[in-house]
Amino acid sequence: MTEQVPQTLRIDDEASLPAVRRAVDEAGRSLGFGLVDQTKLMTAASELARNIVLYAWDGKVTIEHSAGAGRRGLRLTFEDGGPGISDLERAMQDGYSTGKGMGLGLPGAKRLAHEFFIDSKPGIGTRVVFVLWRR
Amino acid sequence: MADVHIISINGVLVVTLPAVTDDGTAERLVEQVGARLVELAARAVLIDVSNARIIDSFLGRVLGSLAGAVRLLGAEPVVVGMRPEVAITMVELGMDLGGVATALSIEHGLAGLRVRAGRRM
Ligand SMILES: Nc1ncnc2c1ncn2[C@@H]1O[C@H](COP(=O)(O)OP(=O)(O)OP(=O)(O)O)[C@@H](O)[C@H]1O
Ligand SMILES: [Mg+2]
């Protein structure tokens, strides 16, 4: 399999999700992540990509390697130009959903991450960075 | 979504989770399982998730509503075959299946039902 990193994939409907999961799967494998970390990566990617589909309708993910302090990892950056999140503090709490979800995607992805950043501006969009280091 | 794979073993349905991608396919899954359950008057439904490499909050919600529908129809739902790495990730994500029984495999699930029914099948 050819290693295509960095790679940017468009996320504009539910049909984009399998491709995102597959690309993250391949990128993680090529870095040598173990099975549990690989599952965490794909689960977080699935949460964050579905949020774009549900709440922002159109966006993208960039999959790239991350290196620093003698470690290697994978960085996933999700960006959209959707409505943004007005109360980010609440959105990061378990159980907060403006849809019919369980409100677990954002706080859960943060728990799965080694590094997690979120930045959102109402009317402009949302950017989420998820990093997992190889142990 | 392809037709859901459902087999019946002595009044117990075994449902293999298909690739559920959106609310539409999730609804069809619940409909098809419900129809077979009623048709066969099944007393339990084993939901085999061994194919699922990940269970995210969406799929977790689908499993929860499937189990809820099974209960409403008077049968017992049991989630079987969850991969260990999936279970670990679900815990960290903060998800539980809302009290639905689980078993390691279809075999363990069937054995557990036998014990609970207090009789031999
Ligand atoms: N990319 C986004 N753009 C705009 N709003 C978002 C975005 N991502 C999340 N949100 C908002 O943040 C809330 C919390 O998101 P989170 O993923 O934690 O839960 P959920 O999607 O509602 O439910 P779950 O993920 O458990 O299915 C959402 O209900 C939505 O209002
Ligand atoms: Mg979500």
Side-chain angles (χ1 to χ4, degrees), chain A residues 47-48 50-57 80 82-88 90-108 118 120 125-128, chain B residues 57-58 61:
Chain A
E47 294 294 343
L48 299 170
R50 191 179 295 274
N51 277 355
I52 291 181
V53 174
L54 289 178
Y55 309 112
W57 316 298
D80 66 67
I85 303 172
S86 49
D87 193 342
L88 201 51
R90 272 182 87 192
M92 288 308 298
Q93 281 166 16
D94 281 352
Y96 175 77
S97 175
T98 58
K100 50 183 170 180
M102 296 191 276
L104 287 180
L106 289 177
I118 181 164
S120 188
T126 301
R127 182 167 172 272
V128 182
Chain B
S57 63
F58 171 79
R61 198 153 49 81

Side-chain angles (χ1 to χ4, degrees), chain A residues 49-130:
Chain A
R50 191 179 295 274
N51 277 355
I52 291 181
V53 174
L54 289 178
Y55 309 112
W57 316 298
D58 199 352
K60 61 184 182 182
V61 58
T62 300
I63 304 167
E64 60 201 331
H65 288 166
S66 189
R71 337 173 261 192
R72 283 189 5 116
L74 204 64
R75 173 194 307 269
L76 309 177
T77 305
F78 296 81
E79 287 167 290
D80 66 67
I85 303 172
S86 49
D87 193 342
L88 201 51
E89 212 173 298
R90 272 182 87 192
M92 288 308 298
Q93 281 166 16
D94 281 352
Y96 175 77
S97 175
T98 58
K100 50 183 170 180
M102 296 191 276
L104 287 180
L106 289 177
K110 184 176 180 181
R111 281 190 290 269
L112 293 173
H114 290 144
E115 285 172 31
F116 186 91
F117 310 95
I118 181 164
D119 184 21
S120 188
K121 290 193 183 63
I124 298 192
T126 301
R127 182 167 172 272
V128 182
V129 180
F130 176 99

Side-chain angles (χ1 to χ4, degrees), chain B residues 87-105:
Chain B
I88 292 168
T89 303
M90 276 179 78
V91 170
E92 218 160 298
L93 200 62
M95 213 183 350
D96 61 45
L97 291 176
V100 179
T102 56
L104 279 179
S105 64

Side-chain angles (χ1 to χ4, degrees), chain B residues 28-95:
Chain B
R28 282 204 293 285
L29 168 67
V30 175
E31 277 168 22
Q32 291 189 30
V33 172
R36 286 299 291 283
L37 199 173
V38 170
E39 183 191 330
L40 298 168
R43 59 189 175 85
V45 177
L46 303 189
I47 306 164
D48 182 9
V49 297
S50 59
N51 279 335
R53 289 189 56 201
I54 64 167
I55 297 183
D56 59 7
S57 63
F58 171 79
L59 196 54
R61 198 153 49 81
V62 171
L63 280 174
S65 34
L66 180 59
V70 166
R71 272 207 193 105
L72 280 175
L73 293 169
E76 183 182 353
V78 185
V79 170
V80 301
M82 187 180 294
R83 302 182 185 198
E85 63 274 19
V86 169
I88 292 168
T89 303
M90 276 179 78
V91 170
E92 218 160 298
L93 200 62
M95 213 183 350

